[in-house]
Amino acid sequence: MAEITKLIHKYLRHEKKFPHVWCPGCGNGIVLGALIRAIDRTGFSKDEIVLVSGIGCAGRLTVYVDFNTLHTTHGRALTFATGVKLANPKLQVIVVMGDGDATAIGGNHFIHAARRNLNLTAIIVNNNVYGMTGGQYSPTTPYGARAATAVYGHIEQAFSIAELAVTAGAAWVGRGTVYHASLLDQLIEQAILKRGFAVVEAISHCHTQFGRRNRLGGPVEMMRWQKEVAVRVEKAKTMTPEELKDRITIGVLVDRELPVYTHELRKLREASQAALGAK
Amino acid sequence: MTANLTDPTNQGRPLLLQGNEAMVEGALYAGCRFFAGYPITPATEISEVMSWRLPAVGGTFIQMEDEIASMGAVIGASLAGGKAMTATSGPGFSLMQENLGFACIAEVPCVIVNVMRGGPSTGLPTHVSQGDVQQARWGTHGDHPIIVLAAATTRECFDLTVKAFNLSEKYRTPVILLADEVVGHTREKIVLPPAGTIEVVERIRPTMPPEWYIPYEDNLRGVPPMGIFGDGYRYHVTGLTHDVRGFPTERPDEIVPFMDRLFRKINQHFADIQMVVEDLTEDAEVLVLAYGSVARSAKRAVREARARGVKAGLLQLITLWPFPRGLLEPHLRRVKAVLVPELNRGQISREVKRVNQGMTRIDTLNRIDGRLITPAEILDRLVRM
């Protein structure tokens, strides 16, 4: 068995009845692999990790791995994670969501989690579509694309998840693709180690729903597209806006030091104890 | 501002507290160390007092972006080991239903206070109502049992908050505490009990080696020990219907035992869960069945009726759900008539009628105009029954 496979097996729940629910060729398995490799590199024990997910294909990720795992309601993963982290700040809380999960039904929770700056890691698998329910358009479905609920072409504009996270105040934002798997490992590792709210947007593909309807080919063709449109953030700085049109910047987009919520809360507790003790 | 609440010299001395404030004190007494909420009339005082009381005892208050998030955070905190609570009113309670269902299926202890106001929708934000009694029972989707208590006084607000936490920890279930605008805002004298004088229950946690832990395995009590995130008992928590290990299942032979246990863990403990207060019921010929603020008017009306020679009694429901039919049925067999006054169109009286099955006459007295039912209104009915 290859070293990398051994590593993955160390973290899988073997008593869980495999096979998993994902289609052959899905990017979710690559994200899960990257997540496992990243966690292994951070050195945190299985007991220290709480993996929280929402609803949808990406939401099923939690059941397969041997951590404290929490599969929540649609869009609400970050709210559950907030409670877990505040009740026990020593836990490393990692949240996995899909694009519809995080930015449609969970959009409000997402921007407020970014603003609040708890020490959480949010991984958003963006495949531009609601895969599990059969390919309806999501907030990241591009204008003009076809979906089960946009058979004449989509008439709305799409969110850029990473840019939304930056604007909402996240301390750290990175973007990768499932094609650039080793970069994804590194981004997730950095996001876990970052003190503050860290967002990784993992560009993925849904060949079953999005690819089929938009004649983009299978997983190989869709991953090739990821390879072609991706530009490293360092290189993007040397390019003009025209050159960057329709390209996806990958790498660390933002890394800034902001007051961390649990730290502020500790100060608040001290102030409150001092004030009430002085009476 | 009620900053004097934390002054330790107040212990044993009378305080003048709102029901809302007394619920905070009850929660802290029960060991609640996490509160997530969203401002809403007439429950806001609970958030406000929690915001400065909790940090002082090393706890966490957080105002979330909405009630959906509040309920999610409460569940997360409970899974990580904290006793957790939220408080809201009708519109917020509606938003909490989705995650309340999650707490039911994943068996996560937590307490939800609903200080009821007039509805539907924005309704009568500053006026009293008991319109959420059926929503507290059936507000979520799907079949599940739930425990719902109703407080009528400041003292009951304190005691029943402790009780709500105890029941939720004991049976691994969300417990809803219903107050109403009058109960929440009325100031009354209360002497807070010293620590250690009222029972406080903690959830049962696993003690076996982690590799032996089967998180949703049935036992005699029907309540599996609860692993806490980070304590070494790694397991999967999901809102999907799951097998004994917590993994999603679609197998009827796993679904049915799971659903049966969810109900059985409540049903087999009715004696512990169902509570009423009997007031002059022993020889009563006419019975008033009431709960919440209406029970206060009823208490007075029953006394005035007795002064006029009417043998009236009051059965005050503390537990609304599961409906305490076993404690009601002996009265139904004996009394000439029952009056059920409520600040809704008959949400508990329909349950009383269902249990009654023609044993006696059931009368109703309803107000939905945001005003209390007065003792005089109840008395007027009692003397004519």
Side-chain angles (χ1 to χ4, degrees):
Chain A
M1 199 187 283
E3 281 306 309
I4 201 146
T5 314
K6 271 191 217 159
L7 175 66
I8 300 276
H9 277 255
K10 182 180 152 193
Y11 289 93
L12 290 185
R13 277 181 170 141
H14 297 282
E15 78 275 32
K16 171 71 193 121
K17 298 153 214 145
F18 276 86
H20 54 69
V21 298
W22 301 318
C23 305
C26 176
N28 281 334
I30 299 173
V31 175
L32 178 56
L35 176 63
I36 286 173
R37 290 187 291 273
I39 289 173
D40 190 72
R41 287 211 291 246
T42 62
F44 289 116
S45 72
K46 290 177 178 179
D47 286 334
E48 287 172 292
I49 301 284
V50 180
L51 194 60
V52 186
S53 64
I55 295 291
C57 294
R60 292 302 182 100
L61 187 143
T62 43
V63 76
Y64 303 115
V65 272
D66 184 20
F67 303 112
N68 304 286
T69 54
L70 173 55
H71 177 218
T72 69
T73 44
H74 195 23
R76 321 300 178 203
L78 283 167
T79 72
F80 285 65
T82 299
V84 171
K85 185 69 183 178
L86 288 173
N88 186 356
K90 287 183 195 136
L91 295 169
Q92 292 299 317
V93 184
I94 303 166
V95 186
V96 182
M97 297 167 282
D99 45 293
D101 197 26
T103 64
I105 189 165
N108 198 28
H109 310 308
F110 180 57
I111 57 174
H112 287 280
R115 171 184 68 79
R116 205 171 275 133
N117 202 33
L118 264 144
N119 190 10
L120 299 173
T121 308
I123 300 166
I124 300 166
V125 186
N126 180 5
N127 63 2
N128 309 103
V129 80
Y130 288 89
M132 185 166 272
T133 48
Q136 298 78 20
Y137 63 78
S138 86
T140 59
T141 301
Y143 176 82
R146 289 174 199 277
T149 45
V151 292
Y152 302 111
H154 193 33
I155 60 171
E156 297 177 16
Q157 298 299 317
F159 267 144
S160 159
I161 292 177
E163 284 166 36
L164 179 64
V166 171
T167 311
W172 189 99
V173 180
R175 182 161 49 206
T177 81
V178 294
Y179 173 81
H180 304 84
S182 59
L183 174 68
L184 198 56
D185 295 8
Q186 292 160 29
L187 290 174
I188 295 174
E189 182 188 359
Q190 284 182 54
I192 293 170
L193 295 174
K194 173 70 187 179
R195 282 197 34 84
F197 190 74
V199 179
V200 180
E201 179 185 2
I203 304 285
S204 186
H205 53 270
C206 179
H207 53 283
T208 307
Q209 298 296 351
F210 191 75
R212 183 169 52 88
R213 280 202 178 75
N214 291 284
R215 300 178 195 282
L216 300 174
V220 173
E221 289 75 22
M222 291 183 82
M223 286 177 78
R224 191 173 292 136
W225 173 82
Q226 290 166 20
K227 179 189 175 188
E228 284 160 8
V229 298
V231 185
R232 295 275 181 157
V233 67
E234 296 78 15
K235 191 179 175 208
K237 281 176 190 150
T238 67
M239 293 165 71
T240 64
E242 290 73 35
E243 287 170 320
L244 283 170
K245 194 168 177 293
D246 296 328
R247 305 296 292 269
I248 294 171
T249 319
I250 57 171
V252 179
L253 305 184
V254 161
D255 184 0
R256 51 194 171 191
E257 293 307 314
L258 297 169
V260 177
Y261 190 96
T262 42
H263 181 69
E264 296 299 309
L265 182 62
R266 215 158 37 236
K267 288 196 287 186
L268 172 73
R269 281 180 188 148
E270 283 161 14
S272 121
Q273 280 153 10
L276 293 170
K279 276 185 200 299
Chain B
M1 191 69 172
T2 41
N4 62 340
L5 278 182
T6 49
D7 185 343
T9 59
N10 267 338
Q11 285 193 1
R13 274 176 40 198
L15 298 169
L16 190 63
L17 294 192
Q18 286 186 334
N20 281 347
E21 291 167 338
M23 286 188 269
V24 174
E25 296 306 317
L28 295 174
Y29 190 98
C32 172
R33 291 296 178 269
F34 185 88
F35 182 96
Y38 187 83
I40 187 166
T41 305
T44 308
E45 292 84 1
I46 301 173
S47 279
E48 288 180 357
V49 180
M50 279 291 192
S51 77
W52 60 270
R53 290 282 273 127
L54 268 174
V57 296
T60 302
F61 164 87
I62 186 166
Q63 186 172 303
M64 296 298 286
E65 53 273 17
D66 57 28
E67 288 89 347
I68 302 169
S70 304
M71 194 62 216
V74 161
I75 294 169
S78 183
L79 286 167
K83 285 190 180 176
M85 172 172 138
T86 185
T88 187
S89 189
F93 192 53
S94 295
L95 288 177
M96 288 178 182
Q97 296 300 328
E98 177 196 36
N99 284 338
L100 181 59
F102 184 97
C104 291
I105 198 169
E107 301 178 71
V108 184
C110 53
V111 173
I112 301 99
V113 171
N114 175 359
V115 187
M116 292 182 286
R117 68 190 220 185
S121 190
T122 313
L124 298 161
T126 60
H127 289 279
V128 68
S129 159
Q130 296 177 320
D132 304 348
V133 168
Q134 288 287 350
Q135 192 196 8
R137 176 65 194 89
W138 299 110
T140 65
H141 55 280
D143 254 333
H144 62 81
I146 191 89
I147 299 175
V148 181
L149 311 179
T153 65
T154 291
R155 177 69 207 209
E156 284 179 10
C157 283
F158 179 92
D159 289 341
L160 294 184
T161 305
V162 179
K163 191 78 190 174
F165 272 102
N166 287 351
L167 293 172
S168 89
E169 294 284 320
K170 214 189 270 187
Y171 302 117
R172 286 190 62 177
T173 176
V175 175
I176 296 160
L177 176 57
L178 291 180
D180 56 53
E181 189 277 330
V182 166
V183 173
H185 283 158
T186 302
R187 286 191 180 277
E188 289 185 281
K189 186 177 101 171
I190 182 171
V191 178
L192 296 178
T197 53
I198 296 181
E199 184 194 28
V200 170
V201 178
E202 307 294 335
R203 67 191 65 166
I204 293 175
R205 294 173 59 174
T207 52
M208 69 285 278
E211 60 273 22
W212 294 3
Y213 180 53
I214 302 174
Y216 292 96
E217 191 179 33
D218 200 357
N219 56 31
L220 283 177
R221 295 174 63 248
V223 187
M226 183 171 171
I228 299 303
F229 286 166
D231 70 0
Y233 293 91
R234 297 187 302 276
Y235 70 111
H236 187 59
V237 180
T238 178
L240 285 166
T241 303
H242 41 269
D243 62 17
V244 290
R245 294 196 172 272
F247 297 136
T249 182
E250 295 176 357
R251 284 172 45 176
D253 64 329
E254 291 177 334
I255 298 166
V256 174
F258 168 66
M259 291 301 285
D260 283 349
R261 183 177 60 74
L262 270 194
F263 280 88
R264 182 166 55 79
K265 74 173 181 179
I266 302 298
N267 293 356
Q268 76 179 37
H269 298 102
F270 272 171
D272 184 42
I273 295 166
Q274 296 186 334
M275 295 170 286
V276 298
V277 178
E278 308 250 359
D279 184 23
L280 302 173
T281 53
E282 224 162 73
D283 62 339
E285 290 171 357
V286 285
L287 184 75
V288 185
L289 185 143
Y291 54 92
S293 56
V294 178
R296 308 180 64 137
S297 296
K299 191 172 182 175
R300 166 111 180 242
V302 160
R303 273 159 185 72
E304 290 184 3
R306 289 248 167 192
R308 295 189 192 187
V310 178
K311 280 194 174 173
L314 167 65
L315 187 72
Q316 183 196 342
L317 302 186
I318 298 293
T319 308
L320 299 186
W321 308 108
F323 188 71
R325 66 180 296 166
L327 300 169
L328 173 62
E329 272 167 342
H331 295 291
L332 295 175
R333 281 191 212 103
R334 201 175 42 75
V335 298
K336 287 182 187 152
V338 177
L339 177 68
V340 188
E342 291 182 90
L343 298 175
N344 55 49
R345 288 293 289 265
Q347 296 193 16
I348 280 291
S349 67
R350 65 181 289 152
E351 195 67 15
V352 176
K353 285 172 188 165
R354 187 180 70 80
V355 172
N356 183 47
Q357 299 283 344
M359 282 187 273
T360 187
R361 197 180 98 209
I362 310 292
D363 284 3
T364 57
L365 171 56
N366 308 100
R367 280 192 85 147
I368 51 163
D369 58 356
R371 303 302 189 274
L372 262 180
I373 295 175
T374 63
E377 284 173 280
I378 298 172
L379 178 65
D380 178 54
R381 295 288 294 272
L382 284 178
V383 296
R384 289 191 287 124
M385 274 171 86

